[in-house]
Amino acid sequence: MVDWISLAIPFAYLGVLIGSLATFSHLYRARKAHKAASLAPWFPPHLTRNIYLSLLHIESEPKVPDSVLKAALLRRAVDDIHRIVELRSSKQALQVLLQRGSVGDDLWQRFQRAEKEVEAELRDVVSEANAFAPGWGQTIFQNASEMAQNQLLRARVDELQAQTEAEKEWWSRKKAAISEDFMKELDSAPTSRPTTSAGSRPTTSGSDAVLVDTGSPGTPKRKSKGKK
């Protein structure tokens, strides 16, 4: 005869164990999701996306032209390109810091959530672009990348021009200071010059002749250093 009570005890134990594990797993995932949702976002609010959505849902007459909507969508894609570049440049360094223990898991969770948000954003932009023109979703990010590169180039040129103006101003102040110091040195320099005695003249450079003072105001006689 089968002892059902003895068999029920192990099954009951397994049921309680499995139920406890399932409850713990559910609570852990819920707590982890709540903690991840409470973390600060990696990027600031997506302003160009909000502008595009606001223009898209305007219901007043006249409606917003498609050209304006396309420009707003392209500007949104440009900001997405900037975010993609930032994520790619930060990922490797963040992984190294995470392995070394220099940063916590919270920062890595924020980064992963930002990656998922950017992926969803890219899919949304492609869908919106194809709604305006079939096939535009395949090229919109290429156009946005070119615009982003032009923006970076113009920002670099503006930065160099600002540095040039600052250097010109510095050199102007430097020249003024040098000129002022030079004039001060001229003013403080002695004005007397060496003079020769009466009846004599300086020895001519590069010759063997010397001056002989005759004691008279006349022209001095030359005495040769040659043979006597």
Coordinates of all heavy atoms in Angstrom, one line a residue, residues 161-218:
Q161 N 38.8 81.1 -34.1 CA 38.7 82.5 -34.3 C 38.7 83.2 -33.0 O 39.3 84.3 -32.8 CB 37.4 82.8 -35.1 CG 37.5 82.4 -36.6 CD 36.2 82.7 -37.3 OE1 35.2 83.1 -36.7 NE2 36.2 82.6 -38.6
A162 N 38.0 82.7 -32.0 CA 38.0 83.3 -30.7 C 39.4 83.3 -30.1 O 39.8 84.3 -29.5 CB 37.0 82.6 -29.7
Q163 N 40.1 82.2 -30.2 CA 41.5 82.2 -29.8 C 42.4 83.2 -30.5 O 43.3 83.8 -29.9 CB 42.1 80.8 -29.9 CG 41.4 79.8 -29.0 CD 42.0 78.4 -29.2 OE1 42.8 78.2 -30.1 NE2 41.5 77.4 -28.4
T164 N 42.1 83.4 -31.8 CA 42.9 84.3 -32.6 C 42.7 85.7 -32.1 O 43.6 86.5 -31.9 CB 42.5 84.2 -34.1 OG1 42.8 82.9 -34.5 CG2 43.4 85.2 -34.9
E165 N 41.4 86.1 -31.8 CA 41.2 87.4 -31.3 C 41.8 87.6 -30.0 O 42.4 88.7 -29.7 CB 39.6 87.6 -31.2 CG 38.9 87.6 -32.6 CD 39.4 88.8 -33.5 OE1 39.7 89.8 -32.9 OE2 39.3 88.6 -34.7
A166 N 41.8 86.6 -29.1 CA 42.4 86.8 -27.8 C 43.9 86.9 -27.9 O 44.5 87.7 -27.2 CB 42.1 85.5 -26.9
E167 N 44.5 86.2 -28.9 CA 46.0 86.3 -29.1 C 46.3 87.6 -29.6 O 47.4 88.2 -29.2 CB 46.4 85.2 -30.0 CG 46.4 83.8 -29.3 CD 46.8 82.7 -30.3 OE1 47.0 83.0 -31.5 OE2 46.9 81.5 -29.9
K168 N 45.5 88.2 -30.5 CA 45.8 89.5 -31.1 C 45.7 90.6 -30.0 O 46.6 91.5 -29.9 CB 44.8 89.9 -32.2 CG 45.0 89.1 -33.5 CD 43.9 89.6 -34.5 CE 44.1 88.9 -35.8 NZ 43.1 89.3 -36.8
E169 N 44.8 90.4 -29.1 CA 44.7 91.4 -28.0 C 45.9 91.3 -27.1 O 46.4 92.3 -26.6 CB 43.4 91.1 -27.2 CG 43.1 92.1 -26.1 CD 41.8 91.9 -25.4 OE1 41.1 90.9 -25.9 OE2 41.5 92.5 -24.4
W170 N 46.3 90.0 -26.8 CA 47.5 89.8 -25.9 C 48.7 90.4 -26.6 O 49.5 91.1 -25.9 CB 47.6 88.3 -25.7 CG 48.8 88.0 -24.8 CD1 48.8 88.0 -23.4 CD2 50.1 87.7 -25.2 NE1 50.0 87.7 -22.9 CE2 50.9 87.5 -23.9 CE3 50.8 87.5 -26.4 CZ2 52.2 87.1 -23.9 CZ3 52.1 87.2 -26.4 CH2 52.8 87.0 -25.2
W171 N 48.9 90.2 -27.9 CA 50.1 90.8 -28.5 C 50.0 92.3 -28.5 O 51.1 92.9 -28.5 CB 50.2 90.2 -30.0 CG 50.9 88.9 -30.0 CD1 50.4 87.7 -30.4 CD2 52.3 88.7 -29.8 NE1 51.3 86.7 -30.3 CE2 52.5 87.3 -30.0 CE3 53.3 89.5 -29.4 CZ2 53.8 86.7 -29.8 CZ3 54.6 88.9 -29.2 CH2 54.8 87.5 -29.4
S172 N 48.9 92.9 -28.7 CA 48.8 94.3 -28.7 C 49.2 94.9 -27.3 O 49.9 95.9 -27.2 CB 47.3 94.7 -29.0 OG 46.9 94.3 -30.3
R173 N 48.7 94.2 -26.2 CA 49.1 94.7 -24.9 C 50.6 94.4 -24.7 O 51.3 95.3 -24.1 CB 48.3 93.9 -23.8 CG 46.9 94.2 -23.8 CD 46.2 93.8 -22.5 NE 46.4 92.3 -22.3 CZ 45.5 91.4 -22.7 NH1 44.4 91.8 -23.3 NH2 45.8 90.1 -22.5
K174 N 51.2 93.3 -25.2 CA 52.6 93.0 -25.1 C 53.4 94.1 -25.8 O 54.4 94.6 -25.3 CB 52.9 91.6 -25.6 CG 54.3 91.1 -25.3 CD 54.5 90.9 -23.9 CE 55.8 90.2 -23.6 NZ 56.1 90.0 -22.2
K175 N 53.0 94.4 -27.0 CA 53.8 95.4 -27.8 C 53.7 96.8 -27.1 O 54.7 97.5 -27.0 CB 53.2 95.6 -29.2 CG 53.5 94.4 -30.1 CD 52.9 94.6 -31.5 CE 53.2 93.4 -32.4 NZ 52.6 93.5 -33.7
A176 N 52.6 97.1 -26.6 CA 52.5 98.4 -25.9 C 53.4 98.4 -24.6 O 54.1 99.5 -24.3 CB 51.0 98.7 -25.5
A177 N 53.5 97.3 -23.9 CA 54.3 97.3 -22.7 C 55.8 97.3 -23.1 O 56.6 98.0 -22.5 CB 54.0 96.0 -21.9
I178 N 56.2 96.6 -24.2 CA 57.6 96.7 -24.7 C 57.9 98.1 -25.1 O 59.0 98.6 -24.8 CB 57.8 95.7 -25.8 CG1 57.6 94.2 -25.3 CG2 59.1 95.9 -26.5 CD1 57.7 93.2 -26.3
S179 N 57.1 98.8 -25.8 CA 57.3 100.1 -26.3 C 57.5 101.1 -25.1 O 58.4 101.9 -25.1 CB 56.2 100.6 -27.2 OG 56.1 99.8 -28.3
E180 N 56.6 100.9 -24.1 CA 56.7 101.7 -22.9 C 58.0 101.5 -22.2 O 58.7 102.5 -21.7 CB 55.5 101.4 -22.0 CG 55.5 102.4 -20.8 CD 54.2 102.1 -19.9 OE1 53.4 101.2 -20.4 OE2 54.1 102.7 -18.9
D181 N 58.5 100.3 -22.0 CA 59.7 100.0 -21.4 C 60.9 100.5 -22.1 O 61.9 101.0 -21.6 CB 59.9 98.5 -21.2 CG 58.9 97.9 -20.2 OD1 58.3 98.7 -19.4 OD2 58.6 96.7 -20.2
F182 N 60.8 100.4 -23.5 CA 61.9 100.9 -24.3 C 62.0 102.5 -24.2 O 63.2 103.0 -24.1 CB 61.7 100.5 -25.8 CG 62.8 101.0 -26.7 CD1 64.0 100.4 -26.7 CD2 62.5 102.0 -27.6 CE1 65.0 100.8 -27.6 CE2 63.5 102.4 -28.5 CZ 64.8 101.8 -28.5
M183 N 60.9 103.2 -24.2 CA 61.0 104.6 -24.0 C 61.5 105.0 -22.7 O 62.2 106.0 -22.5 CB 59.6 105.2 -24.2 CG 59.0 105.0 -25.6 SD 60.1 105.7 -26.9 CE 59.9 107.5 -26.4
K184 N 61.2 104.2 -21.6 CA 61.7 104.5 -20.3 C 63.2 104.3 -20.3 O 63.9 105.1 -19.7 CB 61.1 103.6 -19.3 CG 59.6 104.0 -19.0 CD 59.0 103.0 -17.9 CE 57.6 103.4 -17.6 NZ 57.0 102.5 -16.6
E185 N 63.7 103.3 -21.0 CA 65.2 103.1 -21.0 C 65.9 104.2 -21.7 O 67.0 104.7 -21.4 CB 65.5 101.8 -21.7 CG 65.1 100.5 -20.8 CD 65.4 99.2 -21.5 OE1 65.9 99.3 -22.7 OE2 65.1 98.2 -20.9
L186 N 65.3 104.7 -22.8 CA 65.8 105.8 -23.6 C 65.9 107.1 -22.7 O 66.8 107.9 -22.7 CB 65.0 106.1 -24.8 CG 65.2 105.1 -26.0 CD1 64.4 105.5 -27.2 CD2 66.7 104.9 -26.4
D187 N 64.8 107.3 -21.9 CA 64.8 108.5 -21.1 C 65.8 108.5 -20.0 O 66.4 109.5 -19.6 CB 63.4 108.7 -20.5 CG 62.4 109.0 -21.6 OD1 62.8 109.5 -22.6 OD2 61.2 108.8 -21.3
S188 N 66.1 107.3 -19.5 CA 67.0 107.1 -18.4 C 68.5 107.0 -18.8 O 69.4 107.0 -18.0 CB 66.7 105.9 -17.5 OG 66.7 104.7 -18.3
A189 N 68.7 106.8 -20.1 CA 70.1 106.6 -20.6 C 70.9 107.9 -20.6 O 70.3 109.0 -20.7 CB 70.1 106.1 -22.1
P190 N 72.2 108.0 -20.3 CA 73.0 109.2 -20.3 C 73.1 109.9 -21.6 O 73.2 109.2 -22.6 CB 74.4 108.7 -19.8 CG 74.5 107.3 -20.1 CD 73.1 106.8 -20.0
T191 N 73.1 111.2 -21.6 CA 73.1 111.9 -22.9 C 74.5 112.4 -23.3 O 74.7 112.8 -24.4 CB 72.2 113.2 -22.8 OG1 72.7 114.0 -21.7 CG2 70.8 112.8 -22.6
S192 N 75.5 112.3 -22.4 CA 76.9 112.8 -22.7 C 77.6 111.8 -23.6 O 77.4 110.6 -23.5 CB 77.7 113.0 -21.4 OG 77.8 111.7 -20.7
R193 N 78.4 112.3 -24.5 CA 79.2 111.4 -25.4 C 80.7 111.7 -25.3 O 81.1 112.8 -25.0 CB 78.8 111.7 -26.9 CG 77.3 111.3 -27.2 CD 77.0 111.6 -28.6 NE 75.6 111.2 -28.9 CZ 75.0 111.4 -30.0 NH1 75.7 111.9 -31.1 NH2 73.7 111.0 -30.2
P194 N 81.5 110.7 -25.5 CA 83.0 110.9 -25.4 C 83.5 111.9 -26.5 O 83.0 111.8 -27.6 CB 83.6 109.5 -25.6 CG 82.5 108.8 -26.3 CD 81.2 109.3 -25.9
T195 N 84.4 112.8 -26.0 CA 85.0 113.8 -27.0 C 86.5 113.6 -27.0 O 87.1 113.1 -26.1 CB 84.6 115.2 -26.5 OG1 85.1 115.4 -25.2 CG2 83.1 115.4 -26.6
T196 N 87.1 114.1 -28.1 CA 88.5 114.1 -28.2 C 89.1 115.4 -27.8 O 88.5 116.4 -27.8 CB 88.9 113.8 -29.7 OG1 88.3 114.7 -30.5 CG2 88.4 112.4 -30.1
S197 N 90.4 115.4 -27.5 CA 91.1 116.6 -27.0 C 91.3 117.5 -28.3 O 91.3 117.1 -29.4 CB 92.4 116.3 -26.4 OG 93.2 115.6 -27.2
A198 N 91.6 118.8 -28.0 CA 91.8 119.7 -29.1 C 93.1 119.4 -29.8 O 94.1 119.1 -29.2 CB 91.9 121.2 -28.5
G199 N 93.0 119.5 -31.1 CA 94.2 119.3 -31.9 C 94.5 117.8 -32.2 O 95.5 117.5 -32.7
S200 N 93.6 116.9 -31.9 CA 93.8 115.5 -32.2 C 92.5 114.9 -32.8 O 91.4 115.4 -32.5 CB 94.2 114.7 -30.9 OG 93.1 114.8 -30.0
R201 N 92.7 113.9 -33.5 CA 91.5 113.2 -34.1 C 91.7 111.7 -33.9 O 92.8 111.2 -33.6 CB 91.5 113.5 -35.6 CG 91.2 114.9 -36.0 CD 91.1 115.1 -37.5 NE 90.8 116.5 -37.8 CZ 90.8 117.0 -39.0 NH1 91.0 116.2 -40.1 NH2 90.5 118.3 -39.2
P202 N 90.6 111.0 -33.9 CA 90.6 109.5 -33.7 C 91.5 108.8 -34.7 O 91.6 109.3 -35.8 CB 89.2 109.1 -33.8 CG 88.4 110.3 -33.6 CD 89.2 111.4 -34.2
T203 N 92.2 107.8 -34.3 CA 93.0 106.9 -35.1 C 92.1 106.3 -36.2 O 91.1 105.7 -35.8 CB 93.8 105.9 -34.3 OG1 94.5 106.6 -33.3 CG2 94.7 105.1 -35.2
T204 N 92.5 106.3 -37.4 CA 91.8 105.7 -38.5 C 91.8 104.2 -38.3 O 92.9 103.6 -38.2 CB 92.3 106.1 -39.8 OG1 92.3 107.5 -39.9 CG2 91.5 105.5 -40.9
S205 N 90.7 103.5 -38.4 CA 90.6 102.1 -38.2 C 91.2 101.4 -39.4 O 90.9 101.8 -40.6 CB 89.2 101.6 -38.0 OG 89.1 100.2 -38.0
G206 N 92.0 100.3 -39.2 CA 92.5 99.6 -40.3 C 93.8 100.1 -40.9 O 94.2 99.7 -42.0
S207 N 94.4 101.2 -40.4 CA 95.6 101.8 -41.0 C 96.8 101.8 -39.9 O 96.5 101.6 -38.7 CB 95.4 103.2 -41.4 OG 95.0 104.0 -40.3
D208 N 98.0 102.0 -40.4 CA 99.2 102.0 -39.5 C 99.5 103.4 -39.0 O 100.4 103.5 -38.2 CB 100.4 101.5 -40.3 CG 100.2 100.0 -40.6 OD1 99.4 99.3 -39.9 OD2 100.9 99.5 -41.6
A209 N 98.7 104.4 -39.5 CA 99.1 105.7 -39.1 C 98.5 106.0 -37.8 O 97.4 105.6 -37.4 CB 98.5 106.7 -40.2
V210 N 99.2 106.9 -37.0 CA 98.7 107.3 -35.7 C 98.8 108.9 -35.7 O 99.5 109.5 -36.5 CB 99.6 106.8 -34.6 CG1 99.5 105.3 -34.5 CG2 101.1 107.2 -34.7
L211 N 98.1 109.5 -34.8 CA 98.0 110.9 -34.7 C 99.1 111.4 -33.8 O 99.3 110.9 -32.7 CB 96.6 111.4 -34.3 CG 95.5 111.0 -35.2 CD1 94.2 111.5 -34.6 CD2 95.7 111.7 -36.6
V212 N 99.7 112.5 -34.2 CA 100.7 113.1 -33.3 C 100.2 114.5 -33.0 O 99.9 115.3 -33.9 CB 102.1 113.2 -34.0 CG1 103.1 114.0 -33.2 CG2 102.6 111.9 -34.4
D213 N 100.0 114.8 -31.8 CA 99.5 116.1 -31.3 C 100.6 117.1 -31.5 O 101.7 117.0 -30.9 CB 99.1 116.0 -29.9 CG 98.3 117.2 -29.5 OD1 98.1 118.1 -30.3 OD2 97.8 117.3 -28.3
T214 N 100.4 118.2 -32.3 CA 101.4 119.2 -32.5 C 101.3 120.3 -31.5 O 102.1 121.2 -31.5 CB 101.2 119.8 -33.9 OG1 99.9 120.3 -34.0 CG2 101.4 118.7 -35.0
G215 N 100.3 120.3 -30.7 CA 100.2 121.3 -29.7 C 99.6 122.6 -30.3 O 99.4 123.6 -29.6
S216 N 99.3 122.6 -31.6 CA 98.7 123.8 -32.2 C 97.3 123.4 -32.7 O 97.0 122.2 -33.0 CB 99.6 124.3 -33.3 OG 99.7 123.2 -34.3
P217 N 96.5 124.3 -32.9 CA 95.1 124.0 -33.5 C 95.1 123.6 -34.9 O 94.1 123.3 -35.5 CB 94.4 125.3 -33.3 CG 95.4 126.4 -33.3 CD 96.6 125.8 -32.7
G218 N 96.2 123.5 -35.6 CA 96.3 123.1 -36.9 C 96.1 121.6 -37.1 O 95.8 120.9 -36.2

